[in-house]
Amino acid sequence: MLHYKMYGSSTNTIVLLHGFCENNTCFNEQVFFLKDHYKVITIDLPGFGNSEVEPGVTIDQMAKMVQMVLVANNIEKCLLFGHSMGGYVALSFANQFNFMLLGLGLINSTAAADTSERKEKRKKVIEFLLGHGKEAYIKSFIPGLFLPENQNKPYVNKCIIQGIHSKSSGIIEAAKAMMKRPNHYDTLAKINLPVYFGVGMHDAIINPDDIFEQAARCNIAKVVRFNKTAHMCMFEEPELLNNTILSFADYCVNR
Ligand code: MLT
C-alpha cells in the first residue's frame, strides 16, 4: 500500500498527487487551506516520500495503487488533482475508474504522451542518475522548475531537500513509467467530468498553448492561468491555486 496522509473530516474528499521527485509535502500549503473544507488525502507515489519502489511500475499501475488507498478508506468518489507526473497518474485513474471521480484536476500537467525528444531526454536523465547520483541530479533539476526570480526563495531549497529523500531507483522507475505512458486526449473527451487545468504561463516543461487546446476537448473545463508561475504553482502562486481548487471542488460537488 502506498504511504498517504489524511486531513480534515468532511464527507467530500480531495486527493492530491505530487510530481516527479516530489512527495506529499509539496502540497502543505494546499492541505493547510483545504482541510477545513474537505477531507484531503496526499499520497506518496511509488519510490517517493515514504512509499516503496515498485520495479517496472507503470503509470496505470500507480493509478490502481491510488484507487486501493481510496477503497481502503471507504471513499467511493473524490476530486482528484495531480501535479505534473501526478496529473499523468490522475488521467490514468480517470480512464480506469471514472465512476469514482466528481472532478479531475491537472496542475502544470498534460494529457499528451512524451514526444520522442522528451523520451531521449529521459534516457539522459537515467544515465546521469546512474553516473552522478540523485543528489547531483536533484540539485541541477529542481531550481529550473521555478521562475528565475523565485529560484533563491526558501521553498526551492525545501524542494531540493525533499527531492533528495526520493530513492534513486524510484526516480529511475518513474522516468521510465512516464516515457511509456499513452496519450490521454480521448480520456479528456470521454470522461464527461469537469476538468481543472492549472497552467503555468512560464512553464518550460508544459506548453500553455497545448493545454488550452486540451481544455477545448473537455465537456466542462476550468482553465486557470498562473501568470507568475513556471512549473510549480503550489509554491509560486499558492493562494491562487488554493482558491481555485476550492471553487472548482465546490462546483463539482454541488452540480
Ligand atoms: C514533473 O514535475 O512531474 C515532471 O517534470 C513531469 C515530466 O517530466 O513530464
Side-chain angles (χ1 to χ4, degrees):
M1 173 81 76
L2 295 175
H3 174 260
Y4 62 94
K5 289 188 179 166
M6 195 162 5
Y7 309 82
S9 56
S10 168
T11 48
N12 294 314
T13 305
I14 290 179
V15 178
L16 301 171
L17 303 177
H18 65 80
F20 185 57
C21 301
E22 298 163 6
N23 59 45
N24 74 83
T25 61
C26 75
F27 291 116
N28 282 352
E29 293 256 5
Q30 286 65 52
V31 168
F32 186 72
F33 175 79
L34 292 168
K35 68 179 169 41
D36 292 339
H37 307 272
Y38 283 82
K39 181 180 288 173
V40 183
I41 302 181
T42 54
I43 301 178
D44 287 337
L45 292 171
F48 298 103
N50 289 321
S51 288
E52 294 300 314
V53 179
E54 300 284 343
V57 73
T58 63
I59 296 288
D60 284 347
Q61 286 164 352
M62 291 188 200
K64 173 70 190 157
M65 290 175 199
V66 168
Q67 189 248 5
M68 285 164 71
V69 171
L70 298 184
V71 170
N73 287 285
N74 299 316
I75 292 165
E76 289 175 6
K77 278 186 187 280
C78 71
L79 291 129
L80 180 61
F81 291 80
H83 174 250
S84 201
M85 183 184 80
Y88 311 157
V89 178
L91 272 161
S92 169
F93 186 103
N95 190 39
Q96 298 180 68
F97 311 110
N98 186 19
F99 58 92
M100 294 184 74
L101 293 183
L102 294 168
L104 172 69
L106 302 181
I107 305 168
N108 306 114
S109 193
T110 176
D114 272 3
T115 59
S116 46
E117 191 189 354
R118 189 105 188 102
K119 286 184 185 165
E120 285 311 309
K121 277 197 187 149
R122 297 212 197 273
K123 285 183 194 156
K124 293 214 169 71
V125 165
I126 294 170
E127 276 167 29
F128 186 94
L129 278 159
L130 292 171
H132 300 85
K134 64 177 177 180
E135 190 159 338
Y137 173 67
I138 295 289
K139 285 182 174 164
S140 68
F141 168 63
I142 297 280
L145 300 176
F146 296 85
L147 283 182
E149 59 264 39
N150 290 336
Q151 288 179 7
N152 288 323
K153 296 204 170 143
Y155 53 64
V156 179
N157 209 33
K158 281 192 190 150
C159 288
I160 291 174
I161 292 166
Q162 291 298 333
I164 291 171
H165 281 152
S166 315
K167 290 133 191 118
S168 282
S169 53
I171 300 175
I172 291 172
E173 293 297 341
K176 288 182 182 165
M178 288 194 287
M179 243 157 86
K180 285 188 245 153
R181 76 186 194 281
N183 174 303
H184 272 295
Y185 285 4
D186 289 348
T187 304
L188 287 178
K190 95 175 176 204
I191 53 176
N192 201 16
L193 285 169
V195 185
Y196 170 106
F197 293 87
V199 185
M201 296 305 290
H202 306 279
D203 197 328
I205 297 176
I206 309 289
N207 180 342
D209 288 336
D210 292 347
I211 305 309
F212 302 143
E213 195 269 326
Q214 290 174 27
R217 294 170 182 268
C218 302
N219 292 332
I220 306 171
K222 178 181 176 95
V223 177
V224 181
R225 288 172 168 76
F226 288 80
N227 291 319
K228 296 179 191 152
T229 288
H231 189 62
M232 300 293 269
C233 61
M234 308 87 81
F235 298 95
E236 298 184 285
E237 289 180 86
E239 282 163 17
L240 181 59
L241 182 61
N242 295 347
N243 289 324
T244 54
I245 287 182
L246 181 60
S247 60
F248 176 77
D250 288 349
Y251 166 77
C252 294
V253 166
N254 295 317
R255 89 192 172 102

